[in-house]
Amino acid sequence: MQKLANKNYLEGLLSGDQSVIDEIYKNNFQPVLSFVRKNNGSYQDAEEVFQDALFQLIVRLKVRKFEITSTFEGYLFTVCKNLWRKELNKQKNRVRNTDVIELVIEENKHSSFILEQERWELFEEKINQLSDNCIKLLKDYFNKVSYDVIVKKFNYSSENVAFQRVFKCKKRLAELIKRDSKYQDLS
Amino acid sequence: MDEDIYKKIEAYLGGDMTSEEQKQFELMMSKDIELQKEVKLANEINHHLHEESWLSLEKSESKQAKNDIEDYIKSNEANEIKSKINLAGKRYKKSQYGLRRRLLIVSIAGVFVITLVSTVFFNQNSSTTNLYSKYYTENDLPSIVKRGSQNELLNKGIIAFKARKYEKAITFFEDYLKENNDPLLYSYIGISYLELDKTKEALSSFDKLLYSSSLDKSKALWYKSLLYLKMNDTVELKKTLSNIISDSTNFNYNKAKELLLVGD
């Protein structure tokens, strides 16, 4: 069923079927709008993110060997979240280097993000091959949860043990990524 | 790579090195492609795991893939799809605007209807039900029985009237009137019709009393006032009440005055 629904959407999108695009908009835009608004964005920002995500999806289908493995809705929302994440980072950097005005050509904006999104998907795929404990540990560690909290939460005997675990999990993740030929293509 | 190198990579990426250590590490990297790759991957993983950050692609990366993508983006096909997506966005926005407008209209209409209903209800409450029941009293009706009537039809009519069986009461009274002349009875008939919401018949009954030779004919004006009160006909009500207060000997002169003030 899921594959069939995805197929209908994808085929409609590829052929530029107006009713399909309208339906995609109707069923998927609202959550994106809520997310962007919650994260300091406007309706216009949400609209840009949503339309870029749809357009880039078509480009990926046409040019890259690509298949949606989750639901269509799940895929679209994730891409929109990442597009907005990138935009917020860009805004942060712009504040830091006010004199550097970056001129980004439209094509370049899409091509860069498509490849970054591909890298993101590859990393996610590899993270999900780690143990649950590793996943939780890495996410806590990289999202600035302090060592003492991690030590207590994961029942480690010391901060040094916690660091060793983080280190091992990250090394394992790096190996999984390096071994994948997709990563070589993206580098 | 040994653990020591990984620790150095983390320290380098985390900005935990002194400027001297940093210089040394960068020198080491410049001579070691494998180390460069390790640092790059470690950096990518760090950014990936950090929920708020996003690592942009470097210009030198994935050149071929970028070119392929950009070639397609420049094509007519891609441009057409892009404008179709854009149009869908406009249609969506318009439909949302329309929806919001419709919702607004519906809610305004809702408020309007509620106001209207409550106004009408309120008016009915104040000028009809409340005032009518406040001013209508059976005691105002002429006491026919007291006058010592022994007529069966009349007695039955009075009993039915007091039991609020108005249709029966009307029949008895009308049968009685076929053989007797008693214009005051029209007040009972009129009130019975009024209670049955037959205002036209009620009015005609009161008029029969009003245009009779009865000494109590001014009572008809009062009953007519009650009728207009119940009908919420303020214009006729005021006219009738004014008629009553034109002569202080008229029945319920003071009440009429009072009601006129309430009406104002």
Side-chain angles (χ1 to χ4, degrees):
Chain A
M1 277 308 282
Q2 180 188 312
K3 276 204 164 166
L4 191 71
N6 285 0
K7 205 179 158 218
N8 285 342
Y9 275 158
L10 297 179
E11 278 175 1
L13 257 184
L14 282 171
S15 62
D17 186 327
Q18 188 178 305
S19 62
V20 172
I21 302 175
D22 283 344
E23 204 188 320
I24 291 171
Y25 231 106
K26 207 177 106 199
N27 296 335
N28 298 278
F29 182 66
Q30 203 54 46
V32 175
L33 177 64
S34 305
F35 174 79
V36 171
R37 275 187 171 156
K38 232 182 266 166
N39 291 281
N40 303 318
S42 62
Y43 185 97
Q44 214 181 336
D45 293 323
E47 203 174 32
E48 194 181 333
V49 156
F50 191 74
Q51 293 189 8
D52 281 354
L54 275 181
F55 178 64
Q56 288 165 6
L57 171 58
I58 291 168
V59 177
R60 290 184 77 181
L61 291 166
K62 288 274 181 177
V63 185
R64 310 290 289 171
K65 286 173 203 146
F66 174 64
E67 207 180 309
I68 292 179
T69 48
S70 64
T71 60
F72 180 87
E73 289 80 5
Y75 166 82
L76 198 58
F77 187 67
T78 303
V79 173
C80 288
K81 257 167 81 176
N82 286 342
L83 272 163
W84 188 239
R85 187 167 150 186
K86 179 176 175 159
E87 179 57 32
L88 288 176
N89 269 273
K90 223 163 74 185
Q91 285 175 8
K92 233 191 272 168
N93 292 336
R94 230 179 268 148
V95 174
R96 281 195 204 125
N97 323 300
T98 39
D99 44 326
V100 183
I101 297 166
E102 204 189 347
L103 251 173
V104 183
I105 303 158
E106 180 82 1
E107 296 97 66
N108 185 274
K109 175 183 101 170
H110 293 303
S111 65
S112 295
F113 184 81
I114 287 170
L115 296 169
E116 284 153 22
Q117 176 63 25
E118 284 184 15
R119 181 181 62 199
W120 188 88
E121 285 164 14
L122 174 70
F123 281 30
E124 274 300 286
E125 182 193 316
K126 299 305 169 195
I127 286 171
N128 288 322
Q129 288 171 16
L130 298 173
S131 68
D132 284 350
N133 209 52
C134 257
I135 296 171
K136 281 181 200 149
L137 182 62
L138 286 176
K139 295 220 158 151
D140 276 1
Y141 176 72
F142 284 97
N143 289 291
K144 310 270 183 253
V145 176
S146 74
Y147 264 125
D148 12 312
V149 174
I150 289 176
V151 165
K152 277 180 201 145
K153 192 173 162 186
F154 292 87
N155 270 329
Y156 294 135
S157 57
S158 69
E159 283 188 15
N160 193 44
V161 173
F163 178 77
Q164 295 297 332
R165 282 298 297 163
V166 170
F167 174 76
K168 274 190 181 156
C169 289
K170 203 184 155 186
K171 199 177 164 199
R172 169 104 186 100
L173 178 61
E175 278 163 6
L176 285 169
I177 293 167
K178 267 193 284 183
R179 241 189 274 153
D180 196 307
S181 62
K182 276 184 267 173
Y183 180 68
Q184 307 303 328
D185 293 344
L186 285 166
S187 297
Chain B
M1 296 250 169
D2 61 25
E3 198 174 306
D4 189 47
I5 289 289
Y6 275 110
K7 279 185 181 167
K8 277 188 178 166
I9 293 173
E10 288 307 315
Y12 175 71
L13 293 174
D16 297 330
M17 280 180 164
T18 63
S19 58
E20 190 52 38
E21 283 171 332
Q22 198 180 319
K23 258 185 207 167
Q24 271 188 4
F25 189 75
E26 280 169 357
L27 187 71
M28 213 164 102
M29 268 205 297
S30 66
K31 293 173 188 165
D32 187 341
I33 294 172
E34 281 308 303
L35 179 60
Q36 282 172 31
K37 284 185 182 169
E38 287 295 337
V39 173
K40 182 176 176 278
L41 177 57
N43 189 35
E44 287 169 345
I45 291 174
N46 289 2
H47 277 280
H48 184 92
L49 289 167
H50 193 295
E51 277 166 12
E52 281 169 21
S53 99
W54 187 264
L55 185 66
S56 292
L57 212 63
E58 282 167 31
K59 281 198 175 106
S60 58
E61 285 178 287
S62 314
K63 274 209 157 162
Q64 187 53 49
K66 271 189 97 163
N67 287 340
D68 292 347
I69 292 169
E70 287 176 20
D71 282 346
Y72 177 74
I73 290 174
K74 286 177 202 157
S75 72
N76 286 339
E77 186 185 292
N79 275 317
E80 258 175 50
I81 291 176
K82 203 193 219 168
S83 66
K84 275 180 182 168
I85 292 170
N86 193 271
L87 284 173
K90 281 183 182 148
R91 280 195 298 275
Y92 178 81
K93 205 173 181 178
K94 211 174 159 186
S95 74
Q96 288 306 102
Y97 175 72
L99 189 72
R100 266 204 300 273
R101 243 172 74 103
R102 274 202 298 279
L103 276 175
L104 191 69
I105 290 167
V106 167
S107 51
I108 288 172
V111 169
F112 182 74
V113 167
I114 289 167
T115 313
L116 188 73
V117 166
S118 54
T119 308
V120 167
F121 188 69
F122 176 76
N123 281 345
Q124 276 186 343
N125 267 355
S126 64
S127 41
T128 312
T129 321
N130 278 353
L131 288 177
Y132 176 75
S133 56
K134 186 181 171 191
Y135 285 100
Y136 168 63
T137 156
E138 264 181 37
N139 294 338
D140 280 340
L141 288 166
S143 181
I144 299 160
V145 181
K146 260 188 207 162
R147 290 188 295 156
S149 165
Q150 299 299 311
N151 189 285
E152 207 191 335
L153 280 171
L154 192 62
N155 283 340
K156 276 185 178 173
I158 296 290
I159 289 164
F161 182 83
K162 292 205 166 168
R164 297 176 176 271
K165 290 174 178 165
Y166 298 113
E167 271 160 332
K168 265 190 183 175
I170 292 166
T171 314
F172 288 130
F173 291 142
E174 279 176 347
D175 284 344
Y176 171 74
L177 283 175
K178 277 174 192 164
E179 289 168 28
N180 302 277
N181 180 27
D182 193 344
L184 270 178
L185 209 55
Y186 284 116
S187 53
Y188 280 86
I189 296 170
I191 291 290
S192 295
Y193 276 126
L194 194 57
E195 290 287 350
L196 293 169
D197 284 319
K198 291 181 174 174
T199 46
K200 219 172 138 186
E201 287 88 333
L203 203 58
S204 131
S205 296
F206 296 142
D207 279 338
K208 276 176 188 159
L209 172 62
L210 187 63
Y211 299 120
S212 72
S213 54
S214 168
L215 283 170
D216 283 319
K217 64 180 180 186
S218 79
K219 284 191 174 182
L221 287 172
W222 178 248
Y223 302 137
K224 279 177 83 170
S225 302
L226 291 177
L227 180 140
Y228 292 129
L229 198 57
K230 202 176 180 189
M231 282 168 72
N232 206 20
D233 188 343
T234 46
V235 177
E236 286 303 318
L237 173 65
K238 274 189 183 175
K239 262 194 218 167
T240 315
L241 289 172
S242 303
N243 208 343
I244 294 173
I245 63 165
S246 66
D247 184 347
S248 62
T249 62
N250 275 342
F251 182 66
N252 275 352
Y253 170 82
N254 286 325
K255 276 189 184 174
K257 254 181 149 176
E258 195 185 305
L259 247 178
L260 263 176
L261 286 173
V262 174
D264 284 335

